[in-house]
Amino acid sequence: MRIVVVGTGAWGTAFAKVLRDREHDVFVARRETVDDAPYDEADLVVLAVPSHAFGEVLEHVSGRAPILSLTKGLDPGSGARLSTLVRGRPVAVLSGPNMAEEVGDGLPGAAVIASEDERLATRLQEAINSPIFRVYVQTDLTGVELCGAAKNVIALAAGGVDGLGLGDNAKAALITRGLVEMARLGEACGAEQETFAGLAGMGDLIVTCFHPSGRNRRAGEMIARGASPDKARAAIGQVVEGLTTAPALRDLSRRIGVELPITEGVCSVLDGHPLHELAASLMGRRPTAE
């Protein structure tokens, strides 16, 4: 396949290597030079850009080639799932526990491709799957995208647990309840519950919350130790999607009437409230059935 990958960050670069290892003809473009990419000749356009830039970059992608999104977040302006911004062409989303440096180093991993166009998902599976990068397919585009957005917010909170030194019991509890929170949101939006127990849900949530170099986990840890969100972002030097996604996710949950206590708490910390107060408020919630 002739494939254009837009985005030269860690994930876009690593995924381009996955494609080249499968002997595809890959052209990589920086999002700042998106107008220069050969879209009219492409069989597929892969977008590996920050969520806040997704819509703008998409406007510059000419031609009719399908879009494969690697971006995990929501449109910060509207709160919309990013795939809904794609018009007039097929779209798919790839997600899962895919730390870019491990993929780039050729370590084994797995991902899921979701699309409402089953033929597109299957074609991409055949084009990308390899002995070290296993690809599954499904049609729950809504669930996969919400998993990719929400897990970064939970990872900020998990990093906060690390920064406060609250221990692994607390972290495991937060991650588990975070998964429940993600699934509750997904159900209200029409997603399939099984998605949240799969690679895009539980799988990606686990690695994002525990990997030492995970950007969102690191940012949460820094904030817990006194850094402002802006200073944490600057210190990491790369996009921290959870910082952008948290308020968009909170606003979405309020619009549809779904309770997301961890997400609400993360937003309050980003607005300047002490993190230890968030921990106390979560532990002090009224007891209920699991």
Side-chain angles (χ1 to χ4, degrees):
M1 296 178 71
R2 292 167 294 181
I3 303 173
V4 177
V5 177
V6 182
T8 55
W11 186 207
T13 302
F15 192 72
K17 180 179 182 301
V18 170
L19 297 173
R20 287 189 175 119
D21 287 346
R22 285 296 317 273
E23 300 184 350
H24 295 295
D25 181 9
V26 182
F27 180 91
V28 179
R30 297 173 64 237
R31 62 186 173 95
E32 294 83 359
T33 59
V34 65
D35 288 323
D36 300 328
Y39 302 115
D40 292 337
E41 302 173 5
D43 299 307
L44 177 70
V45 177
V46 178
L47 296 188
V49 300
S51 59
H52 68 81
F54 190 94
E56 180 182 356
V57 168
L58 189 61
E59 292 178 359
H60 294 270
V61 178
S62 60
R64 293 286 184 177
I67 298 290
L68 175 62
S69 171
L70 307 187
T71 306
K72 298 176 180 180
L74 300 176
D75 179 62
S78 65
R81 292 184 291 107
L82 298 178
S83 70
T84 66
L85 305 181
V86 179
R87 299 283 191 272
R89 64 174 84 197
V91 59
V93 171
L94 183 143
S95 193
N98 305 133
M99 301 304 293
E101 60 268 40
E102 294 188 9
V103 175
D105 288 342
L107 296 177
V112 60
I113 291 178
S115 178
E116 295 174 354
D117 184 335
E118 294 185 58
R119 293 178 61 188
L120 172 63
T122 301
R123 183 158 64 97
L124 294 179
Q125 179 188 41
E126 294 171 350
I128 299 169
N129 187 72
S130 76
I132 60 172
F133 195 78
R134 184 168 175 80
V135 179
Y136 296 81
V137 297
Q138 62 153 288
T139 58
D140 184 17
L141 191 58
T142 298
V144 168
E145 284 192 284
L146 289 177
C147 284
K151 61 94 183 182
N152 285 327
V153 180
I154 305 303
L156 285 172
V161 172
D162 290 339
L164 292 178
L166 299 181
D168 287 338
N169 287 340
K171 188 172 180 179
L174 180 134
I175 292 169
T176 304
R177 296 309 301 172
L179 185 60
V180 171
E181 188 167 300
M182 291 165 56
R184 183 188 303 136
L185 176 68
E187 182 178 18
C189 294
E192 298 174 8
Q193 290 297 290
E194 293 84 355
T195 299
F196 295 85
L199 289 169
M202 182 171 62
D204 202 7
L205 180 64
I206 290 171
V207 75
T208 306
C209 290
F210 278 100
H211 199 285
S213 67
R215 302 174 200 173
N216 294 280
R217 190 210 63 79
R218 287 172 58 203
E221 184 175 15
M222 291 178 185
I223 292 169
R225 293 178 175 173
S228 69
D230 286 340
K231 287 185 176 180
R233 183 188 288 110
I236 292 171
Q238 296 174 300
V239 174
V240 182
E241 282 287 3
L243 297 177
T244 302
T245 300
L249 201 67
R250 174 201 60 198
D251 294 346
L252 171 62
S253 71
R254 290 177 177 178
R255 286 198 301 272
I256 63 178
V258 175
E259 188 178 23
L260 302 183
I262 298 175
T263 300
E264 290 278 356
V266 168
C267 289
S268 72
V269 171
L270 297 180
D271 289 338
H273 292 86
L275 183 56
H276 68 270
E277 291 185 5
L278 166 60
S281 67
L282 290 174
M283 292 298 290
R285 287 168 54 83
R286 181 178 61 83
T288 185
E290 185 177 35

